[in-house]
Structures are given as structure tokens and as C-alpha cells.
Amino acid sequence: MDSFNEEDIKMYFYENRLKTFEKWPFDEDCTCTPENMAKAGFIHTPSDNSPDVAICFFCLKELEGWEPEDDPEKEHKSHSSSCLFIALKKNIEELTVEEFLKLQKERHKSIIIKTGKDAIAKFEEAAKLKRAEMIKTAMEEE
């Protein structure tokens, strides 16, 4: 994992997050506008079934089912209270190099934890299916 490649750090910047909200289903008459979503650290990651999926680029918390009156910052804090990005008191441009490196280290921890949890969930599901298959085979042989 390269901590300093362009793709890895570009979402720290508001303008880059905002660009991901081209086809966001909520407009200026809502609280969850693209601008407010991007300010809260979200990027738009729609799918065919869920056009309003957004994920925090930092803590990787994914939220969908947005309502027009939802406040992105409040939703982010309530669903991911430990996210250091949403807790930042400074703009990214104001961080010292040391502060940025500490933040990036925490972001990588989030990525590793999420990747590990996803891998464990996949393994547990595969084990569950294999166990059921083995039980079925054993029952048929009796």
C-alpha cells in the first residue's frame, strides 16, 4: 500500500470528492446536497440498485437510503463517531506534514480493518456453506 500515490491522497481535497457527485439524486432544495456530502468526507459510489450510496473516503463507512432532510455531517458522526476526518478542526491545506502523516496512518488502519473484516465475513460465509454441504452429504449416505 503506497501511502503517497496520487489516487490515495486526492480525496482529501473537497473539490475531488465533489466531482464524484455528478449523478447524485438530491439537489439544492435538500440538506444532503453534493456540496454538503463532499464537505462531510463522502464520495458518491452509486450502483444500479442504489443510486444514493456514499462512502467516507477516510473511514470507509458506507451509507445509503438518504432522505432530502438528512444532514451529511450529522449522519457521518452518528454512524462513524471514531472517524478522524469528520472530527478534523482544520482544513486539509492547513495541516502540518506531521499531522497529515498521522492522519494518513489512521486512514490506512481503517482500510486494513475493513479489508480484514470483509475477508473474515467471506470466509465465514464460505465455511457455513461448506458445513451445510458436508452435513447434507453425510445425511444422504446414512
Side-chain angles (χ1 to χ4, degrees):
M1 188 179 310
D2 180 3
S3 298
F4 302 106
N5 70 43
E6 185 179 339
E7 286 299 310
D8 198 41
I9 62 172
K10 77 178 192 177
M11 289 304 160
Y12 276 98
F13 299 96
Y14 166 80
E15 297 80 18
N16 293 326
R17 293 190 305 275
L18 184 60
K19 288 177 191 173
T20 68
F21 286 91
E22 275 183 15
K23 296 181 181 176
W24 184 243
F26 300 98
D27 59 19
E28 60 276 344
D29 295 332
C30 302
T31 307
C32 59
T33 62
E35 292 77 13
N36 289 338
M37 295 294 290
K39 283 178 191 167
F42 289 109
I43 57 175
H44 187 207
T45 56
S47 67
D48 291 338
N49 299 344
S50 300
D52 70 339
V53 176
I55 187 170
C56 171
F57 86 95
F58 190 88
C59 69
L60 307 177
K61 181 65 180 178
E62 187 176 277
L63 298 175
E64 63 181 313
W66 291 88
E67 300 291 334
E69 66 279 357
D70 287 340
D71 181 318
E73 188 173 333
K74 286 180 183 172
E75 291 295 324
H76 193 169
K77 285 179 181 175
S78 73
H79 291 278
S80 187
S81 59
S82 62
C83 179
L84 294 178
F85 182 81
I86 198 68
L88 270 181
K89 304 292 183 220
K90 297 180 176 184
N91 289 329
I92 288 297
E93 295 82 2
E94 298 168 347
L95 294 176
T96 65
V97 171
E98 183 178 359
E99 290 169 329
F100 177 78
L101 291 175
K102 284 181 180 177
L103 198 60
Q104 185 67 339
K105 179 181 85 172
E106 293 303 317
R107 179 170 180 263
H108 279 273
K109 278 187 197 176
S110 295
I111 292 168
I112 291 166
I113 289 167
K114 182 174 184 347
T115 303
K117 285 180 179 178
D118 290 349
I120 290 168
K122 284 181 184 176
F123 175 82
E124 287 174 342
E125 184 60 29
K128 183 178 162 185
L129 293 172
K130 190 56 137 174
R131 184 176 200 283
E133 183 182 308
M134 290 168 66
I135 290 170
K136 182 180 175 188
T137 301
M139 300 292 267
E140 290 172 354
E141 291 177 2
E142 288 182 359

